[in-house]
Amino acid sequence: MEDLISARSKKIKRSEIFEMMALASKYDNVVNFGVGEPHFDTPESIIDYSFNETRKGYTHYTVNAGDLKLREAISKKLLRDNGIKADPDKEIIVTMGGIEALLLLWLATVNPGDEVIIQDPSWINFNSQILLTGGTPVKVPVKEENDFALKASDIEERITDKTKLVLINSPSNPTGGVTDKEELIKIGKLALEHDFILVSDETYEKIFYEGEHYSLASREELRDHVISIFSFSKTYAMTGWRVGFAAGPEKIIKEMIKIHDSVGLCASSISQSAAMAALDVEKEVEEMVKDYRENRDIIVEGLNSIAGISCIYPAGTFYAFANIKELGKKSLELSRDILDKVQVVTIDGRSFGEAGEGYLRFTFATSKENIKEGIARLDNYVKKYL
Ligand code: PLP
């Protein structure tokens, strides 16, 4: 069959992270700064609660929107931590990770030709999902000189009559940049003026080192204009459980629930029970964030000690986005060469968008020994091969 593969599928590429992992699998003794996930296992109390519930027979489908008990607990969490008021019955959906919440959102709102403004560089799947669902991603560069924060004026320049949604990811993957409250409020004003929907991806809301996280959906005047995306993956070291949620206007959530029925029916009930327990976990989250903060300081200091590399301190997440422009190689070529020569996995900044050229992403959710070893190898690489 000549045209077996859809034009839709042909629009997107396989993620560079998976390409790098495939290349790295050929080597022993790799130092891995590639995959973006906690190196911790899920806290015991979450596993225990979920396993007990499972043994008691909590093994069935839940309603499409997610178990009402969990949505009620999420609603309380949103009010407590984020100042967001969300009706558990109508304004919350539990999904298979934040990634599914995003997919459902595009499927529910984007028509062919609609424009979605996203930051550049940004998490690879924003771009891919928008392309897959027929939208046009419009890129707003976030710059190192602004600590990789979004600027409302840069967004404003890109608004057209086709702008349907604007995505904010703060703290951001891959840069660790945080957009502060003042700037977020300016972006919120644009949403009201131009009547578009703001998508606030708050996956890293608790992995925060400077300032405080601010949720735009807490503003009363923006209630109809913000949909917030959350994930259990990074905060609670629960990447494998695949559970997240979205909160927002009933008219959008209702459509997302309808589509979710066709996509996955419901999030795994076993994972939903784990999510229930996770919402009570505080101590372990604090400990993990403390560890990431120490790692951040070690890796940034280490990167800055290498000639030709510079790196600002990320205000959130467990990613360092290092400037490698002085090393005189394109980021993809450099990341592949570093793997070949000294077996360190980094991710090419360009794979997160054009504005990521000249940078490499380092995930520092790993052991301190790994970070020190990786930095020593990198230093050796620059001295010996460049
Ligand atoms: N949003 C951002 C910015 C991410 O970095 C990720 C995962 O890396 C997600 C959403 C999705 O996370 P999950 O589907 O594991 O909840």
Side-chain angles (χ1 to χ4, degrees):
M1 203 182 298
E2 217 171 73
D3 233 352
L4 176 65
I5 304 306
S6 69
R8 181 187 312 111
S9 186
K10 285 182 192 159
K11 277 193 208 162
I12 67 166
K13 282 200 315 204
R14 207 164 98 116
S15 146
E16 176 59 17
I17 299 175
F18 291 101
E19 296 291 349
M20 275 308 267
M21 290 307 134
L23 293 172
S25 67
K26 294 186 202 132
Y27 299 98
D28 295 328
N29 196 20
V30 165
V31 176
N32 198 334
F33 295 121
V35 178
E37 68 165 340
H39 56 307
F40 298 105
D41 295 330
T42 304
E44 280 292 315
S45 60
I46 298 176
I47 297 176
D48 286 348
Y49 182 83
S50 169
F51 278 32
N52 280 336
E53 290 297 294
T54 306
R55 286 207 186 84
K56 283 194 263 168
Y58 192 74
T59 56
H60 300 269
Y61 292 133
T62 68
V63 291
N64 296 137
D67 190 323
L68 182 59
K69 260 197 343 225
L70 175 58
R71 281 180 283 139
E72 281 166 353
I74 289 172
S75 171
K76 284 197 189 121
K77 172 256 180 281
L78 287 172
L79 194 60
R80 178 191 70 208
D81 297 352
N82 309 86
I84 299 174
K85 288 188 204 133
D87 179 344
D89 207 25
K90 301 192 183 82
E91 294 175 325
I92 294 173
I93 175 174
V94 180
T95 53
M96 298 178 283
I99 194 169
E100 198 221 357
L102 288 159
L103 180 69
L104 297 176
L105 173 63
W106 317 129
L107 285 168
T109 57
V110 171
N111 284 317
D114 284 346
E115 294 177 356
V116 183
I117 297 184
I118 61 174
Q119 55 213 64
D120 180 5
S122 66
W123 184 46
I124 297 168
N125 289 301
F126 294 140
N127 192 57
S128 306
Q129 286 193 340
I130 294 163
L131 287 173
L132 278 175
T133 51
T136 307
V138 173
K139 310 286 177 70
V140 186
V142 282
K143 301 177 193 115
E144 188 180 352
E145 64 257 35
N146 299 327
D147 294 332
F148 297 116
L150 269 167
K151 291 276 155 226
S153 52
D154 289 337
I155 293 179
E156 193 168 14
E157 278 173 23
R158 287 161 180 85
I159 295 171
T160 70
D161 53 2
K162 296 199 189 105
T163 306
K164 192 138 192 196
L165 302 126
V166 173
L167 185 134
I168 303 166
N169 174 217
S170 175
S172 140
N173 177 8
T175 64
V178 165
T179 302
D180 67 22
K181 181 174 170 184
E182 204 183 313
E183 210 59 34
L184 287 174
I185 291 174
K186 285 191 200 158
I187 300 172
K189 284 199 179 123
L190 291 177
L192 293 178
E193 254 169 64
H194 298 272
D195 198 22
F196 56 72
I197 296 290
L198 280 168
V199 186
S200 179
D201 180 324
E202 304 185 29
T203 295
Y204 298 92
E205 61 162 337
K206 305 242 179 192
I207 308 177
F208 217 89
Y209 311 113
E210 269 136 45
E212 260 178 41
H213 182 66
Y214 184 69
S215 296
L216 258 185
S218 62
R219 298 185 75 78
E220 202 50 43
E221 77 274 17
L222 287 174
R223 270 185 70 79
D224 292 339
H225 283 84
V226 184
I227 177 138
S228 312
I229 308 290
F230 291 88
S231 167
F232 289 88
S233 293
K234 319 283 172 162
T235 307
Y236 304 102
M238 285 175 60
T239 47
W241 298 80
R242 312 303 309 123
V243 59
F245 60 95
E250 180 185 353
K251 60 178 187 287
I252 302 179
I253 294 288
K254 195 170 100 194
E255 291 303 305
M256 288 168 67
I257 295 169
K258 184 180 78 184
I259 301 167
H260 182 53
D261 187 29
S262 298
V263 169
L265 211 155
C266 64
S268 146
S269 55
I270 295 162
S271 302
Q272 290 193 48
S273 63
M276 208 43 216
L279 291 172
D280 291 329
V281 170
E282 274 178 29
K283 192 172 115 267
E284 287 91 337
V285 173
E286 275 169 26
E287 284 165 4
M288 289 190 271
V289 175
K290 181 170 169 280
D291 188 76
Y292 299 143
R293 181 192 292 274
E294 290 163 4
N295 289 357
R296 172 189 82 144
D297 294 349
I298 299 171
I299 200 162
V300 172
E301 210 176 291
L303 288 166
N304 283 323
S305 73
I306 302 173
I309 302 185
S310 66
C311 187
I312 61 171
Y313 283 81
T317 75
F318 35 59
Y319 306 112
F321 208 58
N323 185 324
I324 48 86
K325 290 178 187 165
E326 279 183 26
L327 295 181
K329 275 191 199 293
K330 294 270 184 203
S331 358
L332 180 63
E333 189 193 350
L334 185 71
S335 65
R336 299 274 170 101
D337 201 41
I338 291 171
L339 175 65
D340 267 354
K341 302 287 190 336
V342 293
Q343 288 77 59
V344 174
V345 178
T346 60
I347 306 297
D348 153 39
R350 172 70 182 81
S351 63
F352 301 99
E354 248 170 67
E357 181 55 75
Y359 295 87
L360 294 181
R361 189 190 78 171
F362 293 74
T363 301
F364 53 81
T366 182
S367 70
K368 298 190 171 36
E369 293 68 42
N370 263 346
I371 296 177
K372 287 175 191 159
E373 173 64 20
I375 293 292
R377 289 192 196 184
L378 217 55
D379 190 37
N380 181 35
Y381 168 84
V382 171
K383 287 181 177 142
K384 199 163 157 193
Y385 298 104
L386 296 183

